[in-house]
């Protein structure tokens, strides 16, 4: 007797596909980004780059820690009218790396506050974990900051009941960009351990980036950033040796797949 044909981009797959945790790409995002860039010891970054990746040839110690408040959806846009399905926040640490003469960005740590965002990360190669993420939201009325000189924003990151990072950013002036560390295509590994416990069943190095992008006026400013030692996280190992800058920007992004660079490394 033939089995039932099940559907869905991601488990759980069912006869209708309605229970799938995430829809098929493309995925569309509207969000507020608060970015703090600094320099760490390049040796700490090198420890996080598996072969065949190497340090970026210029400014190899640069790090971006980014807080993001996202509203997202699939092509149907139906999540916009059922926002619990696709609104979430995240905080992620990005470094740069070199591969075959080209510079890539790479997310080395990332925390999100919803399960569907973890599932998207598994597909994309982001090392997502659940966390508690908060950042100040701008608003044109009341006590919330406007997007203007002197506006102050706060951001926190915690996981497993422990504070991992906190930042305050005070806007100074309009800028040309919202930083350079996260400005390249991403080089990520998609890996899944074999069920027998030996080796990997999935082992790919992939590149991906925005299929489309639009953004508002970036603002630069000054930041105070603290990282905390906790038993189950290693973000604090990317020690703050020298500040680079801080930025705020509202963006719209579409992600629609990536490109295989190498398989079976």
């Amino acid at each position: 007797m033939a089995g039932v044909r099940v559907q869905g981009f991601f488990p759980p797959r069912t006869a209708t596909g309605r229970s799938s945790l995430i829809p098929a790409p493309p995925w569309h995002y509207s969000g507020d980004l608060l970015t703090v860039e600094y320099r760490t010891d390049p040796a700490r970054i090198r420890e996080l780059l598996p072969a065949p990746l190497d340090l970026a040839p210029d400014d190899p110690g640069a790090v971006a820690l980014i807080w993001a408040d996202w509203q997202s959806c699939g092509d149907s846009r139906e999540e916009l009218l059922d926002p619990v399905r696709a609104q979430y926040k995240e905080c992620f640490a990005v470094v740069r790396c070199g591969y075959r003469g080209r510079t890539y960005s790479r997310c080395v740590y990332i925390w999100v506050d919803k399960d569907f965002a973890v599932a998207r990360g598994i597909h994309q190669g982001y090392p997502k974990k659940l966390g508690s993420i908060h950042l100040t939201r701008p608003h044109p009325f009341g006590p919330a900051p406007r997007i203007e000189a002197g506006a102050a924003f706060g951001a926190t990151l915690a996981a497993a009941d422990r504070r991992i990072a906190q930042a305050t950013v005070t806007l100074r002036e309009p800028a040309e960009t919202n930083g350079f560390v996260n400005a390249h295509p991403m080089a990520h590994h998609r890996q899944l351990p074999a069920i027998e416990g030996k080796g990997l069943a999935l082992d790919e190095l992939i590149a991906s980036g925005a299929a489309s992008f639009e953004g508002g006026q970036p603002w630069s400013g000054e930041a105070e950033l603290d990282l905390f030692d906790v038993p189950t996280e290693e973000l604090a190992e990317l020690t703050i040796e020298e500040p680079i800058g801080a930025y705020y920007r509202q963006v719209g992004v579409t992600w629609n797949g990536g490109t295989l660079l190498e398989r079976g490394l």
Side-chain angles (χ1 to χ4, degrees):
M1 179 178 177
V4 175
R5 185 174 184 272
V6 295
Q7 303 179 65
F9 178 74
F10 202 87
R13 295 184 174 92
T14 65
T16 67
R18 185 163 53 90
S19 295
S20 181
L21 187 55
I22 51 177
W27 300 325
H28 310 282
Y29 304 79
S30 300
D32 293 44
L33 303 182
L34 192 68
T35 301
V36 180
E37 292 186 334
Y38 66 93
R39 293 184 178 92
T40 192
D41 181 351
R44 301 285 75 80
I45 294 177
R46 185 66 191 88
E47 293 172 346
L48 298 173
L49 301 178
L53 304 179
D54 207 340
L55 289 170
D58 62 300
D59 215 345
V63 179
L65 188 60
I66 304 167
W67 278 265
D69 189 352
W70 293 114
Q71 179 161 275
S72 65
C73 63
D75 252 356
S76 71
R77 305 296 205 269
E78 60 192 79
E79 299 93 334
L80 299 179
L81 298 182
D82 192 8
V84 68
R85 293 167 56 185
Q87 286 183 351
Y88 71 104
K89 295 186 290 294
E90 66 185 359
C91 180
F92 54 109
V94 177
V95 302
R96 298 185 307 148
C97 59
Y99 172 74
R100 294 191 175 180
R102 183 174 181 181
T103 298
Y104 290 85
S105 300
R106 181 176 175 89
C107 178
V108 291
Y109 299 116
I110 180 169
W111 296 263
V112 300
D113 61 2
K114 295 291 180 62
D115 58 353
F116 62 80
V118 173
R120 287 200 295 220
I122 292 171
H123 179 66
Q124 296 169 302
Y126 283 85
K128 293 188 176 184
K129 303 174 72 172
L130 285 175
S132 175
I133 302 98
H134 296 278
L135 62 157
T136 306
R137 291 169 174 163
H139 199 279
F141 303 105
R146 282 64 165 163
I147 305 174
E148 61 187 12
F153 294 78
T156 61
L157 165 66
D161 294 331
R162 294 179 173 92
R163 179 69 58 91
I164 300 171
Q166 62 188 25
T168 58
V169 173
T170 303
L171 303 187
R172 181 181 62 245
E173 60 190 3
E176 292 186 3
T177 72
N178 58 318
F180 69 96
V181 179
N182 194 38
H184 307 276
M186 308 298 291
H188 284 158
H189 283 83
R190 287 166 26 95
Q191 294 177 323
L192 180 67
I195 195 63
E196 299 90 349
K198 298 179 181 179
L200 297 171
L202 173 67
D203 191 4
E204 297 178 340
L205 175 63
I206 61 98
S208 69
S212 65
F213 173 88
E214 57 182 336
Q217 173 64 57
W219 281 76
S220 63
E222 286 76 39
E224 296 181 9
L225 175 64
D226 297 295
L227 308 178
F228 303 102
D229 287 315
V230 297
T232 58
E233 309 294 349
E234 299 179 62
L235 178 63
E237 297 298 314
L238 296 175
T239 54
I240 304 166
E241 303 296 329
E242 179 186 3
I244 296 176
Y247 310 92
Y248 179 89
R249 194 178 194 186
Q250 295 180 313
V251 302
V253 180
T254 293
W255 188 90
N256 194 22
T259 302
L260 179 67
L261 297 177
E262 293 191 22
R263 178 180 284 118
L265 306 177

